[in-house]
Amino acid sequence: MLKAGIVGLPNVGKSTLFNAITKQNILAANYPFATIDPNVGVVNVPDIRMNVLNEMYMPERLIMASYEFTDIAGLVKGASNGEGLGNKFLSHIREVDAIVEVVRCFEDGNIIHVEGECDPIRDIEIINLELTISDLEIVNNRLGKIEKKAMTTKDADSLIEVSALRKAKDALEQAIPLREVDFTDEEKIKIKSFQFLTEKPIIYLANISESELSESDNKHVLALKEYANKGNNKVIKICCKVESELSELSIEEKEEMLEMLGIKTSGLDDLINATYELLGLKTYFTVGSDEVRAWTYKDGMNARDCAGIIHTDFRDGFIKAEVISYNDLITAGSETKVKELGKLRIEGKDYIMQDGDICHFRFNR
């Protein structure tokens, strides 16, 4: 299961957001380090197509695609040198696929800010600096061990790694995150195992007040968007307090509250969808009277590898995939009609899966 790590300075709304994700009462206290250990919550990926397929097949089980969020303890200035939770924070964040950085974008004198005034750019740069320092330390340590040997032996693999690490060092010393560095494909492979923090894709979550949900962006959100645009990063507006309240409601009550607030979708749904897009994730389906299920795959994967997501036996013994596009199924009204119209396709192992494909895999047992 893919993972996103929720990070941010203390008291920016991180634990309140996590409450909404898990519907658990994780401590959201008004002081630093209220969250000590990482907590994990699994969310369903909102997909209206699953509702339609559920009505069509009436299965015994409906299994949505899911995503794991890890709430990582609040970071403070000096974490890379052991301040606050220090390296414990940094080790937890290395395990995630993407970073969701919660940034406080509202004024409230009743909620303590660990750095004093509300300033989203300062908050981001504090975290970025800590991640950069941590990555740079790894780069320097590794270069010290491999650089001289690579230059002496002229080993091809070692030279590629040194080239990648030098690029990384130059960027980090200029406070450029590694996600913005143009590594070659070979270099990317060589540095993947280091799990560099600044290489991970990031989404900024602008936590605003309830009164600002249906209003134009305030000055803090505007500043955050301008900052994020420089790195081609996305900003999602959200009120963590409202999301926590929405999580306690039924579907009908949730829709009524969203309408009352003057917004179409919840910020959490927007975040989940944006995270999927950020990681280049798509969905294919398997359907039947016993189960309708959504499967997550990486854009560009072929049919054989997608079959392997279900079970390695499906991949190893792959024969063919019977494929119907979701749109063709809905237009025709049934699988039988799809077949009559000649819209059922037989695809081989190299077929590139498309978002919304409905698949039945044939394989040797």
Side-chain angles (χ1 to χ4, degrees):
M1 185 180 294
L2 289 155
K3 303 176 183 179
I6 304 173
V7 304
L9 294 178
N11 300 334
V12 296
K14 203 162 51 64
S15 292
T16 304
L17 173 66
F18 192 72
N19 286 347
I21 289 173
T22 61
K23 297 186 181 179
Q24 296 174 6
N25 189 26
I26 304 301
L27 180 63
N30 187 25
Y31 56 86
F33 313 127
T35 312
I36 301 300
D37 293 311
N39 297 282
V40 174
V42 177
V43 295
N44 286 332
V45 178
D47 193 332
I48 191 66
R49 295 172 298 184
M50 286 292 282
N51 299 337
V52 177
L53 292 172
N54 187 44
E55 291 179 8
M56 183 176 288
Y57 288 91
M58 300 296 290
E60 295 176 16
R61 297 181 303 278
L62 183 72
I63 303 178
M64 309 282 284
S66 56
Y67 201 89
E68 185 174 294
F69 282 95
T70 301
D71 180 31
I72 298 170
L75 179 65
V76 293
K77 191 182 295 181
S80 57
N81 293 321
E83 295 294 325
L85 298 177
N87 292 329
K88 190 173 185 181
F89 165 89
L90 298 171
S91 65
H92 290 144
I93 196 174
R94 288 195 190 282
E95 299 170 4
V96 304
D97 301 293
I99 296 172
V100 176
E101 184 169 337
V102 183
V103 185
R104 179 170 157 183
C105 290
F106 66 92
E107 306 279 353
D108 189 335
N110 294 319
I111 300 178
I112 301 165
H113 192 295
V114 70
E115 290 294 325
E117 296 178 335
C118 178
D119 184 343
I121 308 307
R122 175 208 58 213
D123 293 356
I124 288 171
E125 290 183 342
I126 287 172
I127 290 182
N128 286 354
L129 177 62
E130 299 307 324
L131 304 186
T132 297
I133 291 171
S134 180
D135 280 353
L136 187 57
E137 182 179 0
I138 291 174
V139 168
N140 286 333
N141 286 343
R142 181 59 180 166
L143 273 175
K145 293 177 181 177
I146 192 177
E147 192 169 25
K148 187 174 181 180
K149 180 182 177 182
M151 296 300 105
T152 303
T153 64
K154 304 298 181 184
D155 175 68
D157 284 347
S158 297
L159 289 171
I160 292 170
E161 183 178 343
V162 167
S163 172
L165 291 172
R166 284 175 175 172
K167 277 187 186 179
K169 179 180 173 67
D170 289 344
L172 293 168
E173 287 179 342
Q174 299 175 65
I176 298 171
L178 298 185
R179 73 181 73 90
E180 296 178 19
V181 176
D182 186 22
F183 293 108
T184 67
D185 290 341
E186 289 178 319
E187 288 171 341
K188 287 178 183 177
I189 292 171
K190 285 297 173 188
I191 63 172
K192 184 178 181 180
S193 62
F194 294 110
Q195 295 182 302
F196 287 125
L197 302 175
T198 65
E199 190 183 16
K200 297 181 185 296
I202 190 168
I203 289 178
Y204 294 110
L205 205 61
N207 186 16
I208 59 175
S209 65
E210 180 177 339
S211 63
E212 295 173 310
L213 268 175
S214 59
E215 298 178 0
S216 300
D217 296 340
N218 64 32
K219 65 178 183 180
H220 298 307
V221 175
L222 289 172
L224 177 57
K225 285 185 173 179
E226 182 180 356
Y227 180 93
N229 284 340
K230 294 175 184 177
N232 294 317
N233 298 311
K234 192 162 188 174
V235 174
I236 301 290
K237 274 202 310 185
I238 194 171
C239 175
C240 294
K241 180 175 178 290
V242 166
E243 294 301 321
S244 185
E245 293 170 0
L246 285 171
S247 70
E248 301 298 329
L249 304 178
S250 67
I251 294 174
E252 293 77 13
E253 290 171 334
K254 179 179 175 180
E255 290 175 352
E256 288 177 10
M257 185 171 177
L258 289 174
E259 185 176 350
M260 183 180 68
L261 291 168
I263 53 178
K264 293 181 179 179
T265 57
S266 77
L268 180 54
D269 285 352
D270 291 340
L271 171 61
I272 296 166
N273 289 327
T275 309
Y276 250 55
E277 182 181 341
L278 180 69
L279 293 172
L281 303 179
K282 303 289 184 182
T283 303
Y284 76 85
F285 305 102
T286 52
V287 298
S289 58
D290 59 334
E291 178 182 285
V292 167
R293 182 163 183 164
W295 301 89
T296 301
Y297 70 96
K298 193 85 170 178
D299 193 20
M301 285 178 66
N302 63 33
R304 183 168 178 255
D305 289 337
C306 282
I309 293 171
I310 299 176
H311 198 284
T312 53
D313 287 351
F314 282 36
R315 183 186 188 280
D316 296 341
F318 183 92
I319 299 172
K320 63 181 179 180
E322 297 176 3
V323 182
I324 299 172
S325 78
Y326 172 83
N327 289 336
D328 284 344
L329 177 63
I330 300 310
T331 301
S334 70
E335 282 190 37
T336 302
K337 191 64 175 177
V338 168
K339 293 173 184 176
E340 289 175 4
L341 294 171
K343 296 288 189 179
L344 172 67
R345 308 192 310 274
I346 305 300
E347 303 289 359
K349 63 180 182 180
D350 295 326
Y351 167 70
I352 302 301
M353 196 72 76
Q354 300 300 304
D355 185 62
D357 278 349
I358 297 166
C359 302
H360 179 68
F361 297 107
R362 300 290 185 185
F363 66 102
N364 288 317
R365 296 181 183 275

